[in-house]
mmCIF file of all heavy atoms in Angstrom:
data_model
loop_
_atom_site.group_PDB
_atom_site.id
_atom_site.type_symbol
_atom_site.label_atom_id
_atom_site.label_comp_id
_atom_site.label_asym_id
_atom_site.label_seq_id
_atom_site.Cartn_x
_atom_site.Cartn_y
_atom_site.Cartn_z
ATOM 1 N N TRP A 23 4.501 7.376 -4.786
ATOM 2 C CA TRP A 23 5.307 8.552 -5.132
ATOM 3 C C TRP A 23 5.663 8.606 -6.613
ATOM 4 O O TRP A 23 5.858 9.676 -7.174
ATOM 5 C CB TRP A 23 6.575 8.599 -4.280
ATOM 6 C CG TRP A 23 7.690 7.754 -4.813
ATOM 7 C CD1 TRP A 23 7.820 6.405 -4.673
ATOM 8 C CD2 TRP A 23 8.788 8.183 -5.596
ATOM 9 N NE1 TRP A 23 8.949 5.966 -5.331
ATOM 10 C CE2 TRP A 23 9.566 7.036 -5.904
ATOM 11 C CE3 TRP A 23 9.217 9.418 -6.085
ATOM 12 C CZ2 TRP A 23 10.727 7.097 -6.668
ATOM 13 C CZ3 TRP A 23 10.372 9.467 -6.845
ATOM 14 C CH2 TRP A 23 11.114 8.326 -7.118
ATOM 15 N N LYS A 51 3.077 5.328 -1.127
ATOM 16 C CA LYS A 51 4.143 4.338 -1.026
ATOM 17 C C LYS A 51 5.454 4.938 -1.506
ATOM 18 O O LYS A 51 5.462 5.829 -2.351
ATOM 19 C CB LYS A 51 3.809 3.114 -1.889
ATOM 20 C CG LYS A 51 2.391 2.591 -1.743
ATOM 21 C CD LYS A 51 2.157 1.411 -2.674
ATOM 22 C CE LYS A 51 0.688 1.108 -2.851
ATOM 23 N NZ LYS A 51 0.049 2.021 -3.830
ATOM 24 N N ILE A 52 6.544 4.394 -0.963
ATOM 25 C CA ILE A 52 7.878 4.759 -1.430
ATOM 26 C C ILE A 52 8.635 3.481 -1.761
ATOM 27 O O ILE A 52 8.251 2.393 -1.309
ATOM 28 C CB ILE A 52 8.663 5.575 -0.373
ATOM 29 C CG1 ILE A 52 8.845 4.753 0.910
ATOM 30 C CG2 ILE A 52 7.959 6.895 -0.078
ATOM 31 C CD1 ILE A 52 9.829 5.349 1.899
ATOM 32 N N ASP A 53 9.705 3.594 -2.534
ATOM 33 C CA ASP A 53 10.500 2.387 -2.799
ATOM 34 C C ASP A 53 11.994 2.593 -2.570
ATOM 35 O O ASP A 53 12.800 1.701 -2.813
ATOM 36 C CB ASP A 53 10.247 1.843 -4.200
ATOM 37 C CG ASP A 53 10.563 2.838 -5.299
ATOM 38 O OD1 ASP A 53 11.188 3.887 -5.002
ATOM 39 O OD2 ASP A 53 10.182 2.591 -6.455
ATOM 40 N N GLY A 54 12.375 3.778 -2.077
ATOM 41 C CA GLY A 54 13.782 4.003 -1.738
ATOM 42 C C GLY A 54 14.166 3.140 -0.549
ATOM 43 O O GLY A 54 13.540 3.241 0.499
ATOM 44 N N GLY A 58 18.391 8.093 2.807
ATOM 45 C CA GLY A 58 18.341 9.344 2.051
ATOM 46 C C GLY A 58 17.242 9.366 1.006
ATOM 47 O O GLY A 58 16.371 10.250 1.026
ATOM 48 N N PRO A 59 17.245 8.396 0.073
ATOM 49 C CA PRO A 59 16.186 8.357 -0.940
ATOM 50 C C PRO A 59 14.793 8.208 -0.342
ATOM 51 O O PRO A 59 13.828 8.815 -0.828
ATOM 52 C CB PRO A 59 16.561 7.139 -1.787
ATOM 53 C CG PRO A 59 18.037 6.997 -1.623
ATOM 54 C CD PRO A 59 18.310 7.422 -0.205
ATOM 55 N N ALA A 60 14.670 7.409 0.724
ATOM 56 C CA ALA A 60 13.358 7.215 1.350
ATOM 57 C C ALA A 60 12.836 8.529 1.924
ATOM 58 O O ALA A 60 11.675 8.895 1.732
ATOM 59 C CB ALA A 60 13.450 6.150 2.442
ATOM 60 N N THR A 61 13.699 9.247 2.621
ATOM 61 C CA THR A 61 13.308 10.537 3.200
ATOM 62 C C THR A 61 12.906 11.518 2.103
ATOM 63 O O THR A 61 11.900 12.235 2.225
ATOM 64 C CB THR A 61 14.466 11.131 4.026
ATOM 65 O OG1 THR A 61 14.787 10.212 5.087
ATOM 66 C CG2 THR A 61 14.087 12.482 4.620
ATOM 67 N N LYS A 62 13.688 11.539 1.026
ATOM 68 C CA LYS A 62 13.387 12.437 -0.098
ATOM 69 C C LYS A 62 12.032 12.102 -0.717
ATOM 70 O O LYS A 62 11.237 12.995 -1.022
ATOM 71 C CB LYS A 62 14.487 12.322 -1.152
ATOM 72 C CG LYS A 62 14.353 13.273 -2.328
ATOM 73 C CD LYS A 62 15.615 13.233 -3.180
ATOM 74 C CE LYS A 62 15.554 14.252 -4.311
ATOM 75 N NZ LYS A 62 14.946 13.738 -5.521
ATOM 76 N N GLN A 63 11.745 10.815 -0.877
ATOM 77 C CA GLN A 63 10.463 10.415 -1.465
ATOM 78 C C GLN A 63 9.301 10.784 -0.553
ATOM 79 O O GLN A 63 8.236 11.207 -1.028
ATOM 80 C CB GLN A 63 10.476 8.917 -1.764
ATOM 81 C CG GLN A 63 11.388 8.556 -2.925
ATOM 82 C CD GLN A 63 11.515 7.059 -3.126
ATOM 83 O OE1 GLN A 63 10.917 6.256 -2.410
ATOM 84 N NE2 GLN A 63 12.313 6.672 -4.112
ATOM 85 N N ILE A 64 9.472 10.628 0.754
ATOM 86 C CA ILE A 64 8.420 11.024 1.693
ATOM 87 C C ILE A 64 8.156 12.526 1.565
ATOM 88 O O ILE A 64 6.996 12.962 1.474
ATOM 89 C CB ILE A 64 8.811 10.669 3.145
ATOM 90 C CG1 ILE A 64 8.860 9.143 3.321
ATOM 91 C CG2 ILE A 64 7.817 11.285 4.139
ATOM 92 C CD1 ILE A 64 9.526 8.698 4.621
ATOM 93 N N ASP A 65 9.224 13.309 1.531
ATOM 94 C CA ASP A 65 9.095 14.761 1.393
ATOM 95 C C ASP A 65 8.342 15.127 0.107
ATOM 96 O O ASP A 65 7.431 15.967 0.119
ATOM 97 C CB ASP A 65 10.481 15.423 1.351
ATOM 98 C CG ASP A 65 11.206 15.346 2.684
ATOM 99 O OD1 ASP A 65 10.545 15.089 3.708
ATOM 100 O OD2 ASP A 65 12.440 15.547 2.694
ATOM 101 N N GLU A 66 8.740 14.496 -1.004
ATOM 102 C CA GLU A 66 8.125 14.804 -2.291
ATOM 103 C C GLU A 66 6.655 14.399 -2.316
ATOM 104 O O GLU A 66 5.811 15.119 -2.872
ATOM 105 C CB GLU A 66 8.894 14.097 -3.407
ATOM 106 C CG GLU A 66 10.290 14.680 -3.640
ATOM 107 C CD GLU A 66 11.107 13.884 -4.633
ATOM 108 O OE1 GLU A 66 10.652 12.800 -5.065
ATOM 109 O OE2 GLU A 66 12.210 14.338 -4.981
ATOM 110 N N SER A 67 6.340 13.246 -1.717
ATOM 111 C CA SER A 67 4.940 12.795 -1.684
ATOM 112 C C SER A 67 4.059 13.774 -0.918
ATOM 113 O O SER A 67 2.979 14.158 -1.375
ATOM 114 C CB SER A 67 4.839 11.406 -1.053
ATOM 115 O OG SER A 67 5.300 10.414 -1.938
ATOM 116 N N LEU A 68 4.520 14.183 0.255
ATOM 117 C CA LEU A 68 3.735 15.120 1.058
ATOM 118 C C LEU A 68 3.515 16.434 0.318
ATOM 119 O O LEU A 68 2.423 17.008 0.355
ATOM 120 C CB LEU A 68 4.440 15.376 2.389
ATOM 121 C CG LEU A 68 4.394 14.214 3.393
ATOM 122 C CD1 LEU A 68 5.400 14.429 4.506
ATOM 123 C CD2 LEU A 68 2.997 14.070 3.966
ATOM 124 N N ARG A 70 3.519 16.911 -3.022
ATOM 125 C CA ARG A 70 2.599 16.725 -4.152
ATOM 126 C C ARG A 70 1.165 16.500 -3.685
ATOM 127 O O ARG A 70 0.214 16.936 -4.340
ATOM 128 C CB ARG A 70 3.075 15.569 -5.031
ATOM 129 C CG ARG A 70 4.303 15.893 -5.857
ATOM 130 C CD ARG A 70 4.550 14.839 -6.920
ATOM 131 N NE ARG A 70 4.915 13.560 -6.354
ATOM 132 C CZ ARG A 70 6.152 13.057 -6.359
ATOM 133 N NH1 ARG A 70 7.147 13.730 -6.887
ATOM 134 N NH2 ARG A 70 6.393 11.869 -5.849
ATOM 135 N N MET A 79 1.980 5.128 5.041
ATOM 136 C CA MET A 79 3.050 5.122 4.043
ATOM 137 C C MET A 79 3.643 3.719 4.020
ATOM 138 O O MET A 79 3.996 3.180 5.072
ATOM 139 C CB MET A 79 4.120 6.157 4.388
ATOM 140 C CG MET A 79 5.176 6.330 3.313
ATOM 141 S SD MET A 79 4.547 7.071 1.773
ATOM 142 C CE MET A 79 4.492 8.816 2.220
#
Side-chain angles (χ1 to χ4, degrees):
W23 83 280
K51 314 178 196 80
I52 61 168
D53 59 12
T61 300
K62 184 170 184 271
Q63 289 174 1
I64 293 167
D65 291 343
E66 290 173 354
S67 286
L68 287 166
R70 287 192 293 255
M79 187 67 79

